[in-house]
Amino acid sequence: MIGDKKVILSGIQPSGDSITLGNYLGALNNWVKLQSEYRCLYMLADMHTLTVRQEPSQLRARTLSLLAQYIAAGLNPQENILFIQSHVPAHAELTWILNCYTQMGELGRMTQFKDKSKRHADNINAGLYDYPVLMAADILLYQADMVPVGTDQKQHVELARDIAQRFNGVHGDVFTIPEPYIAPPSAGSKIKSLQDPTAKMSKSDPNPNGCIFMLDPPEVVIKKIKRAVTDSEAEVAYREGKDGVNNLLTIYAAVTGKSVEDAVSEFAGKGYGDFKAAVGEAVAECLRPFQLNYRTLMNSKDYLESVYKDGAEQAGRIAERTLNKVKKKVGFVPR
Ligand code: TRP
């Protein structure tokens, strides 16, 4: 708890130029809804991105850009603590200590580690392996009660719980035990690739037309949706076996706030051409205010700087408090 509010912490890695429509509808949009009820900290997980080789100037630019995207998506810096992970040294310090409370076997079992070491077989570095411990430190430093994540990160939050419980078992109640918070299965969290509607929409989609980025120009969005995989039935209906059409209906419903049923009746009797054009327009319409806000923010570098400096200060104070407690518990001599 901070004050009388439960604490939420989450983060996104600045590893791409733009968040995806899936990130926006499935994550950020939900975060915005939580901002008044909880004390929320949202991090730019720049330290995590180093587990895969990055181009330094690009990482720097992407980190600032992601901050602007957080704010453009509706996260109010007055209400939330928005900060850059590497600005709070406590994350690295606590990671070391927690490493000594984590078993090799636990880390080896992480599905993301297994996947990523296959995908980056030439660079299976210790950071890739240790990634979940850094993530546990992120969470535990702020005594987070809830961690909103996609299902792909649930295993990492569960490991953070195990580490916290183990540490508390040895040293007494130091850490709050965090809960993964999987957003209610609203339309937004179920968005699939436009090219392979059985797979999640992801920025690492092998086909660049599979994924809509929030910073895609309108004509690109419209084109991607026009090319989306459907089926040969030429009937706009939501039912099993129509993954492509189901996905477009889901996207349409999510960006317009309509129900899928209403969307289906709206397109009754229409061909896929008209349907796709309407979905494309609706998505472009949803991106417009986001992109406008984003451009204004990117032209106000001083403002962005004031946001992350202020965020680092507030986050640093909370993190430092936990870290000092931990250091005392493990037996370090206070300076
Ligand atoms: N690993 C998360 C991802 O790639 C990002 C992340 C880092 C995170 N630290 C976190 C998410 C702490 C929640 C809490 O999506």
Side-chain angles (χ1 to χ4, degrees):
M1 304 286 267
I2 297 180
D4 56 355
K5 285 182 173 168
K6 287 200 169 180
V7 178
I8 280 186
L9 177 127
S10 195
I12 299 181
Q13 294 188 48
S15 54
D17 290 325
S18 169
I19 59 167
T20 67
L21 182 67
N23 290 140
Y24 176 75
L25 295 172
L28 283 161
N29 230 1
N30 280 306
W31 295 1
V32 172
K33 292 182 200 138
L34 299 167
Q35 68 189 2
S36 52
E37 206 178 320
Y38 296 89
R39 189 70 182 117
C40 300
L41 297 112
Y42 294 115
M43 195 180 65
L44 306 152
D46 57 344
M47 290 164 74
H48 276 105
T49 65
L50 289 193
T51 56
V52 174
R53 201 62 74 225
Q54 302 292 326
E55 207 280 294
S57 61
Q58 187 169 267
L59 175 59
R60 204 163 7 249
R62 285 175 165 177
T63 305
L64 271 188
S65 162
L66 182 56
L67 176 62
Q69 292 177 63
Y70 275 11
I71 304 170
L75 289 178
N76 177 352
Q78 238 68 58
E79 275 193 274
N80 303 279
I81 302 180
L82 307 181
F83 71 104
I84 300 174
Q85 187 183 28
S86 65
H87 285 181
V88 180
H91 291 248
E93 290 184 74
L94 183 62
T95 299
W96 173 254
I97 298 172
L98 297 182
N99 272 333
C100 305
Y101 292 77
T102 308
Q103 299 301 305
M104 303 278 284
E106 292 178 299
L107 295 178
R109 277 197 291 279
M110 295 290 118
T111 32
Q112 186 179 308
F113 171 69
K114 290 192 271 187
D115 290 349
K116 284 199 180 171
S117 32
K118 263 185 232 139
R119 266 194 282 141
H120 305 278
D122 55 336
N123 183 21
I124 307 179
N125 59 72
L128 196 63
Y129 188 62
D130 203 32
Y131 177 116
V133 183
L134 176 58
M135 186 160 154
D138 298 337
I139 297 167
L140 301 179
L141 275 174
Y142 301 95
Q143 310 287 358
D145 296 281
M146 276 177 19
V147 184
V149 284
T151 41
D152 61 318
Q153 296 294 319
K154 191 163 169 247
Q155 199 185 26
H156 291 158
V157 180
E158 277 156 6
L159 180 67
R161 284 171 66 88
D162 292 343
I163 297 173
Q165 265 153 354
R166 186 171 306 144
F167 192 95
N168 285 355
V170 178
H171 299 290
D173 276 347
V174 177
F175 294 126
T176 301
I177 309 300
E179 294 278 351
Y181 173 75
I182 308 291
S186 64
S189 53
K190 286 187 289 195
I191 288 187
K192 306 288 192 209
S193 163
L194 297 174
Q195 291 296 318
D196 173 8
T198 59
K200 183 179 152 188
M201 182 180 280
S202 154
K203 65 180 175 206
S204 39
D205 197 310
N207 186 330
N209 287 321
C211 180
I212 293 170
F213 293 97
M214 289 300 288
L215 294 174
D216 276 346
E219 62 277 11
V220 172
V221 172
I222 290 167
K223 202 164 68 196
K224 282 181 180 174
I225 293 195
K226 207 166 166 187
R227 291 190 182 152
V229 168
T230 48
D231 52 55
S232 53
E233 293 177 353
E235 184 198 355
V236 182
Y238 192 98
R239 63 166 177 262
E240 220 184 302
K242 290 178 77 73
D243 294 331
V245 172
N246 294 349
N247 188 36
L248 291 177
L249 283 166
T250 303
I251 292 175
Y252 183 77
V255 298
T256 56
K258 296 178 184 167
S259 69
V260 169
E261 297 82 71
D262 286 349
V264 171
S265 38
E266 201 176 321
F267 295 110
K270 294 244 170 76
Y272 286 170
D274 289 347
F275 170 52
K276 286 175 166 180
V279 177
E281 281 303 331
V283 175
E285 202 51 51
C286 156
L287 304 197
R288 194 159 298 140
F290 173 87
Q291 295 185 359
L292 232 116
N293 284 339
Y294 172 78
R295 265 179 246 121
T296 310
L297 288 158
M298 287 303 279
N299 284 325
S300 335
K301 290 281 154 56
D302 290 351
Y303 173 69
L304 289 179
E305 190 179 314
S306 73
V307 169
Y308 70 66
K309 282 191 167 162
D310 186 49
E313 205 162 292
Q314 292 189 62
R317 263 200 304 273
I318 304 168
E320 221 32 61
R321 219 180 298 144
T322 304
L323 183 65
N324 282 334
K325 207 164 163 189
V326 168
K327 286 180 172 171
K328 202 146 103 202
K329 291 286 189 185
V330 299
F332 291 169
V333 175
R335 219 172 69 170

